[in-house]
Amino acid sequence: MYLADEAWPDLESYFESESLALMPLGSTEQHGPHLPEATDHIIAESFARRAAEETGYLCTPTVNVGVSPHHRQFHGTMWADAPAFRDYVESVTRNLAYHGIDRVIFVNAHGGNVEHLREVGRRLRDDGTLYAIEWMWDESITDLIAETFETPGPHGGPKETSLIQHLAGELVHEERLEEARDGGCREFDETTGRVNGARTFYDAIDNTENGVLGDQTDASAEAGEKLFDAALSNLTGLCEWLDDQPAEGLFPKPHV
């Protein structure tokens, strides 16, 4: 069920019988010369809405702009300052608690949101409002990604390219895949941009001239479908697990 499609009287039965909601969050930021700036929020909304369809749980509208100042040098990137993002997401999530939701899955597709969603989840849990947990699609299928791509890259690489080829192929500039690979940073690992253990970079452009990492020519819609189905299975499983948890077990333990 997608909340924004429903008239308010038709939501009453959901809030009376269910207590879980999915909230998709992404970003509007550069993803290289070949992918749309909507990449992350397309991915997040696709996972959340499909999971809602398969499980019957509620999906909220998508938070389309995230914490993305590290991509600001590239045309069109939008971002929210981290404190404003946290406060906004917390406020919107509290709306759901008002209607009776006591557990939320932040269906996230942007790495820059992760730490901030964890902080929002802690705030809401610590004050007893509800239990919110962050889920990042690629972190749920790390082994499959490693098996599928030689150089997956953490941003705009073949894993995200493949997903968009699968979900919204008309938005992919297929003729620019080689340009993306050759003008970006093909190899990226734990040593990139680090000196004697210190992380020396702050922005994406510090490591990649065109904003992306990995080998985009290794992407395909077929690979994207495989990744999507595997991650979706994990998300629906997480929904069922969270719904089964007794409420008292989700909130902070008492002081010893």
Side-chain angles (χ1 to χ4, degrees):
M1 177 184 291
Y2 181 58
L3 185 151
D5 285 345
E6 304 296 325
W8 72 261
D10 303 318
L11 288 164
E12 181 178 7
S13 61
Y14 184 86
F15 291 120
E16 286 180 344
S17 61
E18 301 288 352
S19 59
L20 188 148
L22 299 113
M23 181 184 296
L25 304 100
S27 69
T28 300
E29 65 182 27
Q30 72 83 18
H31 275 77
H34 64 301
L35 290 180
E37 304 223 349
T39 290
D40 287 344
H41 67 251
I42 289 172
I43 292 171
E45 183 168 332
S46 297
F47 276 119
R49 294 190 70 159
R50 275 287 302 277
E53 290 171 6
E54 294 196 5
T55 62
Y57 296 120
L58 185 70
C59 176
T60 75
T62 303
V63 177
N64 287 337
V65 176
V67 183
S68 304
H70 49 295
H71 293 293
R72 69 191 187 279
Q73 288 91 348
F74 297 94
H75 302 308
T77 291
M78 300 183 70
W79 68 92
D81 291 336
F85 176 81
R86 291 192 295 266
D87 288 347
Y88 177 80
V89 173
E90 179 180 346
S91 178
V92 172
T93 307
R94 287 185 186 277
N95 298 172
L96 298 172
Y98 179 81
H99 294 297
I101 297 297
D102 71 359
R103 55 203 74 190
V104 171
I105 298 174
F106 293 137
V107 180
N108 181 36
H110 173 49
N113 294 341
V114 173
E115 63 180 293
H116 307 292
L117 295 175
R118 290 286 297 171
E119 173 61 23
V120 170
R122 173 174 286 282
R123 291 181 191 178
L124 295 166
R125 178 176 181 263
D126 285 355
D127 69 14
T129 299
L130 53 72
Y131 178 84
I133 190 170
E134 185 266 344
W135 178 85
M136 183 79 173
W137 73 273
D138 57 344
E139 292 181 358
S140 79
I141 53 169
T142 54
D143 289 345
L144 178 58
I145 289 171
E147 293 168 7
T148 305
F149 308 113
E150 183 177 349
T151 55
H155 181 74
K159 61 184 180 182
E160 288 185 321
T161 302
S162 293
L163 271 192
I164 298 300
Q165 286 172 322
H166 169 56
L167 297 171
E170 71 280 4
L171 299 180
V172 180
H173 296 274
E174 299 283 348
E175 76 282 3
R176 298 178 185 169
L177 295 181
E178 290 187 7
E179 175 189 343
R181 177 197 63 197
D182 297 341
C185 177
R186 185 172 182 178
E187 301 287 343
F188 186 93
D189 59 27
E190 66 278 0
T191 67
T192 305
R194 296 180 184 272
V195 177
N196 292 346
R199 178 172 167 168
T200 63
F201 59 92
Y202 284 93
D203 296 331
I205 202 169
D206 295 336
N207 289 320
T208 167
E209 291 184 2
N210 69 3
V212 290
L213 307 111
D215 183 354
Q216 292 74 17
T217 64
D218 203 17
S220 69
E222 293 74 22
E225 182 177 15
K226 180 172 66 172
L227 299 183
F228 186 84
D229 290 346
L232 179 64
S233 178
N234 282 325
L235 178 55
T236 58
L238 178 61
C239 289
E240 301 297 350
W241 172 85
L242 184 55
D243 188 58
D244 286 343
Q245 301 310 301
E248 60 272 16
L250 297 174
F251 290 95
K253 305 294 188 293
H255 192 285
V256 295

